[in-house]
Amino acid sequence: MDSLFADEAFDRRPSIVAPGAVWIPGFLSEQAQSWIIARWAEWQSGPVPPHATTIAGHPMSVRTIGLGWHWRPGRYDRRAADVNNRRVLPFPDWMTRLGRQVLQAATAVVDDADDQPADTVAAWGFVPNGYHPDVALVNYYDAQAKMGMHQDKDEFDPAPVVSLSLGDTCLFRFGNSEHRNRPYTDLRLASGDAFVFGGPARFAYHGVRSIQPGTAPEAGRLDHLGGGRINITMRTTGRG
């Protein structure tokens, strides 16, 4: 019975979810998943520990590590003034290369679509060689964690957001740019999946409805953390 609800039972072909948003299931190889998961231990022991950011007086249910910049609502800083005032770890060069590879894969999905104009990838900002992310927010979700519908709008540069999923599958909701209500699309983001949103979807509301415990593949297991999910989102702050 469990196999009826496994990720393989759902349509997992690369697809355009909305104008400007592309889902690329299984982008990361098993080796890549294991390698990136191992980086969490390095980031966790860095100068700024995983922490629950406070929004409107309430701590988020996810724990976050910032690479390149420290994020708190409405601003980016080099130091985590609301945690321990330490300077965050630098944004790694390998992540820039990885982000460009994801954008290249997203470009291929758009180019293969019969219903998209020839200039679509440029209009959506999918320019791999011109992608220069300078911050990654690395969020850890335990089995109970969620994230409400929100916009990523604290960046000055509207370059696409590149998202990578590791660990247990999440139920992800991707909406519109006007409000948190319909229309929206619900997806199962599994370990190794990539998701890109830019252009007309750059400020779309999105969120995580739930984590599906025990769904991680062998290469994506987070047993050392008690299970759960790691999500990496690369952005371009546009700040000096």
Side-chain angles (χ1 to χ4, degrees), residues 15-81:
S15 61
I16 298 173
V17 175
V22 177
W23 175 35
I24 312 165
F27 175 81
L28 293 173
S29 67
E30 292 184 354
Q31 182 180 12
Q33 291 177 55
S34 297
W35 188 85
I36 295 174
I37 288 171
R39 305 284 75 74
W40 171 268
E42 300 172 6
W43 301 333
Q44 183 176 239
S45 61
V48 181
H51 56 279
T53 301
T54 299
I55 298 180
H58 301 282
M60 297 176 68
S61 60
V62 302
R63 288 185 287 150
T64 303
I65 296 174
L67 304 176
W69 292 87
H70 174 74
W71 174 80
R72 49 180 165 155
R75 62 183 297 168
Y76 282 101
D77 300 287
R78 294 296 190 185
R79 295 181 178 274

Side-chain angles (χ1 to χ4, degrees), residues 60-113:
M60 297 176 68
S61 60
V62 302
R63 288 185 287 150
T64 303
I65 296 174
L67 304 176
W69 292 87
H70 174 74
W71 174 80
R72 49 180 165 155
R75 62 183 297 168
Y76 282 101
D77 300 287
R78 294 296 190 185
R79 295 181 178 274
D82 56 333
V83 181
N84 59 6
N85 206 36
R86 299 284 299 279
R87 189 178 179 93
V88 300
L89 291 170
F91 185 86
D93 290 340
W94 64 261
M95 200 172 282
T96 297
R97 296 192 294 272
L98 181 57
R100 291 175 177 176
Q101 292 169 10
V102 174
L103 271 183
Q104 188 63 56
T107 295
V109 174
V110 177
D111 286 342
D112 288 343

